[in-house]
Amino acid sequence: MFRRTFWFTAGAAAGVWATTKVNRKIKQLTPESLAAQAANKALEAGHKLKDFALDVRDGMAQREAELGEALGLEAPVDPELPGQRTVVVAIENGKTSKSSKTDKHKQGKYLSKSKYSYNRNEDH
C-alpha cells in the first residue's frame, strides 16, 4: 500500500514538474517573447559597441598626446618665430566658410576644437 502511494505521489510530482517546464518553454517561444529577447540582445550589443568605441577614442587621444609630447608639438613657442596658424570653420546662415583666427570676431558662430559626446539620447 505504501509503495503504491509513494509511486503515485512521485508520478504526480514529476507530471507537475514536467508540465511547468513545458509551459515555461512555450511562453519563451511566443513571438512577443522572442521579439523582446532579440531587442534586449541588440541593446546589449549596442552598449558593448559604444563602450568599445569610447575606449578606442580615449586610447587615440592618449596616444596623440604622447606623440605630440614626443615630437615637441606641445612645446612653448619661441618668441622670435611667428605664431602657428589655426583654421576655424565658421557657420553663418547654414553655410560654412574658413577663416583665420583673427576673423572669428567678425563671423557669427564658429567651431574650433569641439568635443562631440557619444550620448545617443541627445538625438531623440
Side-chain angles (χ1 to χ4, degrees):
M1 181 82 170
F2 289 111
R3 223 179 221 185
R4 287 182 184 174
T5 306
F6 170 76
W7 286 113
F8 177 77
T9 306
V16 168
W17 177 79
T19 303
T20 304
K21 287 288 259 187
V22 168
N23 285 336
R24 284 184 188 165
K25 193 52 113 174
I26 288 173
K27 286 180 185 176
Q28 285 180 352
L29 296 177
T30 61
E32 295 84 13
S33 179
L34 291 175
Q37 288 175 11
N40 288 338
K41 293 289 183 182
L43 284 174
E44 184 179 322
H47 288 300
K48 286 181 180 180
L49 186 61
K50 179 191 76 159
D51 291 340
F52 174 72
L54 290 175
D55 288 343
V56 168
R57 184 177 290 174
D58 290 342
M60 285 176 22
Q62 180 182 0
R63 182 64 178 149
E64 185 176 343
E66 290 172 0
L67 289 173
E69 185 178 313
L71 295 174
L73 297 176
E74 304 293 326
V77 179
D78 187 8
E80 296 178 8
L81 297 175
Q84 182 179 4
R85 292 184 181 181
T86 60
V87 176
V88 178
V89 177
I91 300 174
E92 189 172 314
N93 298 329
K95 297 179 182 178
T96 61
S97 64
K98 293 186 178 182
S99 64
S100 67
K101 193 173 182 180
T102 58
D103 292 337
K104 73 180 180 181
H105 296 293
K106 296 177 186 175
Q107 299 287 334
K109 297 177 184 177
Y110 62 92
L111 300 172
S112 65
K113 295 183 181 178
S114 63
K115 295 198 176 196
Y116 299 102
S117 71
Y118 196 77
N119 187 356
R120 301 297 277 168
N121 293 329
E122 290 177 353
D123 296 340
H124 303 288

PDB file of all heavy atoms in Angstrom, residues 68-78 84:
ATOM      1  N   GLY A  68      52.413  63.890 -29.578  1.00  0.00           N
ATOM      2  CA  GLY A  68      52.629  65.330 -29.594  1.00  0.00           C
ATOM      3  C   GLY A  68      53.724  65.743 -28.623  1.00  0.00           C
ATOM      4  O   GLY A  68      54.561  66.602 -28.920  1.00  0.00           O
ATOM      5  N   GLU A  69      53.745  65.099 -27.479  1.00  0.00           N
ATOM      6  CA  GLU A  69      54.789  65.394 -26.497  1.00  0.00           C
ATOM      7  C   GLU A  69      56.149  64.917 -26.995  1.00  0.00           C
ATOM      8  O   GLU A  69      57.157  65.617 -26.862  1.00  0.00           O
ATOM      9  CB  GLU A  69      54.442  64.706 -25.165  1.00  0.00           C
ATOM     10  CG  GLU A  69      55.383  65.036 -24.040  1.00  0.00           C
ATOM     11  CD  GLU A  69      54.938  64.352 -22.758  1.00  0.00           C
ATOM     12  OE1 GLU A  69      53.745  64.423 -22.436  1.00  0.00           O
ATOM     13  OE2 GLU A  69      55.804  63.766 -22.093  1.00  0.00           O
ATOM     14  N   ALA A  70      56.181  63.723 -27.608  1.00  0.00           N
ATOM     15  CA  ALA A  70      57.442  63.175 -28.104  1.00  0.00           C
ATOM     16  C   ALA A  70      57.988  63.993 -29.279  1.00  0.00           C
ATOM     17  O   ALA A  70      59.203  64.149 -29.412  1.00  0.00           O
ATOM     18  CB  ALA A  70      57.247  61.725 -28.537  1.00  0.00           C
ATOM     19  N   LEU A  71      57.103  64.535 -30.115  1.00  0.00           N
ATOM     20  CA  LEU A  71      57.532  65.317 -31.268  1.00  0.00           C
ATOM     21  C   LEU A  71      57.737  66.793 -30.940  1.00  0.00           C
ATOM     22  O   LEU A  71      58.175  67.556 -31.782  1.00  0.00           O
ATOM     23  CB  LEU A  71      56.519  65.182 -32.402  1.00  0.00           C
ATOM     24  CG  LEU A  71      56.392  63.784 -33.001  1.00  0.00           C
ATOM     25  CD1 LEU A  71      55.260  63.745 -33.995  1.00  0.00           C
ATOM     26  CD2 LEU A  71      57.694  63.367 -33.659  1.00  0.00           C
ATOM     27  N   GLY A  72      57.393  67.197 -29.736  1.00  0.00           N
ATOM     28  CA  GLY A  72      57.585  68.577 -29.324  1.00  0.00           C
ATOM     29  C   GLY A  72      56.515  69.519 -29.831  1.00  0.00           C
ATOM     30  O   GLY A  72      56.742  70.724 -29.901  1.00  0.00           O
ATOM     31  N   LEU A  73      55.359  68.995 -30.195  1.00  0.00           N
ATOM     32  CA  LEU A  73      54.287  69.852 -30.692  1.00  0.00           C
ATOM     33  C   LEU A  73      53.647  70.657 -29.572  1.00  0.00           C
ATOM     34  O   LEU A  73      53.032  71.680 -29.809  1.00  0.00           O
ATOM     35  CB  LEU A  73      53.220  69.014 -31.401  1.00  0.00           C
ATOM     36  CG  LEU A  73      53.695  68.268 -32.638  1.00  0.00           C
ATOM     37  CD1 LEU A  73      52.568  67.410 -33.184  1.00  0.00           C
ATOM     38  CD2 LEU A  73      54.199  69.223 -33.688  1.00  0.00           C
ATOM     39  N   GLU A  74      53.791  70.204 -28.348  1.00  0.00           N
ATOM     40  CA  GLU A  74      53.213  70.887 -27.201  1.00  0.00           C
ATOM     41  C   GLU A  74      54.218  71.823 -26.544  1.00  0.00           C
ATOM     42  O   GLU A  74      53.953  72.404 -25.517  1.00  0.00           O
ATOM     43  CB  GLU A  74      52.727  69.856 -26.169  1.00  0.00           C
ATOM     44  CG  GLU A  74      51.749  68.842 -26.721  1.00  0.00           C
ATOM     45  CD  GLU A  74      50.428  69.462 -27.108  1.00  0.00           C
ATOM     46  OE1 GLU A  74      50.001  70.415 -26.433  1.00  0.00           O
ATOM     47  OE2 GLU A  74      49.825  69.000 -28.085  1.00  0.00           O
ATOM     48  N   ALA A  75      55.396  71.940 -27.131  1.00  0.00           N
ATOM     49  CA  ALA A  75      56.462  72.751 -26.535  1.00  0.00           C
ATOM     50  C   ALA A  75      56.111  74.234 -26.626  1.00  0.00           C
ATOM     51  O   ALA A  75      55.365  74.652 -27.515  1.00  0.00           O
ATOM     52  CB  ALA A  75      57.784  72.489 -27.253  1.00  0.00           C
ATOM     53  N   PRO A  76      56.656  75.065 -25.712  1.00  0.00           N
ATOM     54  CA  PRO A  76      56.391  76.504 -25.787  1.00  0.00           C
ATOM     55  C   PRO A  76      56.960  77.102 -27.073  1.00  0.00           C
ATOM     56  O   PRO A  76      57.977  76.649 -27.587  1.00  0.00           O
ATOM     57  CB  PRO A  76      57.088  77.077 -24.552  1.00  0.00           C
ATOM     58  CG  PRO A  76      57.939  75.990 -24.000  1.00  0.00           C
ATOM     59  CD  PRO A  76      57.467  74.696 -24.585  1.00  0.00           C
ATOM     60  N   VAL A  77      56.300  78.106 -27.600  1.00  0.00           N
ATOM     61  CA  VAL A  77      56.670  78.722 -28.871  1.00  0.00           C
ATOM     62  C   VAL A  77      57.800  79.725 -28.636  1.00  0.00           C
ATOM     63  O   VAL A  77      57.770  80.511 -27.694  1.00  0.00           O
ATOM     64  CB  VAL A  77      55.446  79.420 -29.493  1.00  0.00           C
ATOM     65  CG1 VAL A  77      55.811  80.094 -30.792  1.00  0.00           C
ATOM     66  CG2 VAL A  77      54.333  78.414 -29.700  1.00  0.00           C
ATOM     67  N   ASP A  78      58.786  79.694 -29.528  1.00  0.00           N
ATOM     68  CA  ASP A  78      59.892  80.649 -29.474  1.00  0.00           C
ATOM     69  C   ASP A  78      59.344  82.026 -29.849  1.00  0.00           C
ATOM     70  O   ASP A  78      58.684  82.177 -30.870  1.00  0.00           O
ATOM     71  CB  ASP A  78      60.984  80.206 -30.453  1.00  0.00           C
ATOM     72  CG  ASP A  78      62.248  81.043 -30.359  1.00  0.00           C
ATOM     73  OD1 ASP A  78      62.340  81.866 -29.426  1.00  0.00           O
ATOM     74  OD2 ASP A  78      63.139  80.863 -31.211  1.00  0.00           O
ATOM     75  N   GLN A  84      51.602  79.964 -34.683  1.00  0.00           N
ATOM     76  CA  GLN A  84      51.025  78.910 -35.510  1.00  0.00           C
ATOM     77  C   GLN A  84      49.646  79.350 -35.994  1.00  0.00           C
ATOM     78  O   GLN A  84      48.843  79.873 -35.228  1.00  0.00           O
ATOM     79  CB  GLN A  84      50.910  77.621 -34.702  1.00  0.00           C
ATOM     80  CG  GLN A  84      50.381  76.462 -35.483  1.00  0.00           C
ATOM     81  CD  GLN A  84      50.311  75.206 -34.626  1.00  0.00           C
ATOM     82  OE1 GLN A  84      50.586  75.246 -33.445  1.00  0.00           O
ATOM     83  NE2 GLN A  84      49.945  74.113 -35.243  1.00  0.00           N
TER      84      GLN A  84
END
